[in-house]
Amino acid sequence: MAAAKPNKASSLPQAPASLRRQPSQARAQQTMQTLFKAAAQILDKEGEAGLTTNKVAAAAGFSIGTLYQYFPSKEVLVQAMAAKGQGMVLQELGRYLSELENLPDVRALDGRELLGKAIRILVRGFATGKGLSQSLIHLCWTLEKPEETASAVRQVADRLAVFFERIDHPALQTPSTAQMFVLTRSVIGTLRSASLEKSPLLGSPAFEQALTQMAWALLARPEAHQAAGLALGARPIK
């Protein structure tokens, strides 16, 4: 059964519904970016216990009333930052996959390496930090809303499903709906656990390699597995 196609909605997560003001103007967007930056700096310096709305407003140079026009609580502020971070990950993944889809020789590229680079984007975005610091990502996972996480994971799955179908790589099969579900939930779930546990594995090559190996085991065509086994068997035993 072929993987489900993505809907036509935007791939970017929507702003949390609990925002008091929806930032539609450039000035409002700039205000939010300044508040985000201040919150991230406080979190990196003082940890989660030191992050308060009063400190964020002061560090950003705004009154607490201005902050509350956008974010009624610290939790809503962090959730808005998480939504922005998810959007950044999805955009980077989309750019990478689009570049590959437009390569005339994409079918000649190493399938395992293609998976590895996609995994690396997800690791940096959801665990080790890409645009967001590890401490902020950890707090975002602590305060996560399951429905928003599920939405982001579905968007990752939908985009990957389209990618595999378009490139028709000789070593990578077009995954079924079940295979894509298992793959994306396994990867994102692992990243969530590693971030919440502050695992020392984060950022290590072994961590990314394990995730890539899992993806390869699930998505490689049977003949690719067989070829890899034959190549491994041909190596001399040391």
Side-chain angles (χ1 to χ4, degrees):
M1 178 172 59
K5 296 290 188 357
N7 57 41
K8 296 182 179 179
S10 169
S11 63
L12 297 181
Q14 300 299 313
S18 49
L19 286 184
R20 285 183 171 170
R21 175 184 292 180
Q22 297 299 323
S24 57
Q25 299 177 351
R27 183 175 180 181
Q29 290 280 1
Q30 183 59 48
T31 298
M32 290 186 66
Q33 294 305 316
T34 304
L35 291 169
F36 288 167
K37 183 177 180 180
Q41 291 174 342
I42 293 171
L43 187 61
D44 287 341
K45 290 180 180 179
E46 303 183 33
E48 296 175 17
L51 183 65
T52 67
T53 51
N54 283 320
K55 287 183 179 180
V56 173
F62 298 126
S63 68
I64 189 64
T66 297
L67 184 149
Y68 282 148
Q69 288 179 8
Y70 299 92
F71 310 108
S73 67
K74 177 179 75 174
E75 290 73 21
V76 174
L77 170 62
V78 172
Q79 287 162 0
M81 296 172 74
K84 178 189 175 185
Q86 288 177 355
M88 293 169 62
V89 178
L90 293 172
Q91 287 178 345
E92 184 176 2
L93 180 65
R95 284 194 298 269
Y96 169 65
L97 299 180
S98 294
E99 289 173 359
L100 290 176
E101 289 167 349
N102 292 322
L103 286 178
D105 61 343
V106 64
R107 287 171 51 84
L109 299 179
D110 185 279
R112 195 189 298 260
E113 290 185 8
L114 298 185
L115 292 177
K117 290 180 180 179
I119 291 292
R120 187 171 302 116
I121 291 172
L122 296 177
V123 170
R124 290 187 303 176
F126 288 110
T128 62
K130 171 65 174 179
L132 302 179
S133 66
Q134 284 194 38
S135 56
L136 178 54
I137 292 174
H138 176 270
L139 181 56
C140 289
W141 281 122
T142 301
L143 300 175
E144 75 167 314
K145 289 188 174 182
E147 65 275 14
E148 294 178 359
T149 300
S151 176
V153 178
R154 283 194 297 269
Q155 291 175 65
V156 170
D158 289 344
R159 184 63 184 90
L160 287 172
V162 171
F163 168 73
F164 287 119
E165 184 174 347
R166 285 178 176 172
I167 66 169
D168 189 26
H169 195 280
L172 298 170
Q173 61 184 319
T174 300
S176 67
T177 301
Q179 287 173 320
M180 186 58 71
F181 184 95
V182 170
L183 174 64
T184 53
R185 274 62 175 185
S186 297
V187 171
I188 301 301
T190 298
L191 298 180
R192 177 184 182 276
S193 296
S195 179
L196 288 174
E197 296 173 23
K198 298 182 178 180
S199 172
L201 289 171
L202 286 176
S204 69
F207 185 70
E208 286 189 16
Q209 289 170 5
L211 288 172
T212 301
Q213 181 60 33
M214 178 184 66
W216 173 256
L218 190 62
L219 298 180
R221 296 182 189 271
E223 53 269 31
H225 279 299
Q226 184 178 14
L230 291 174
L232 183 61
R235 295 175 184 172
I237 299 176
K238 297 182 179 180

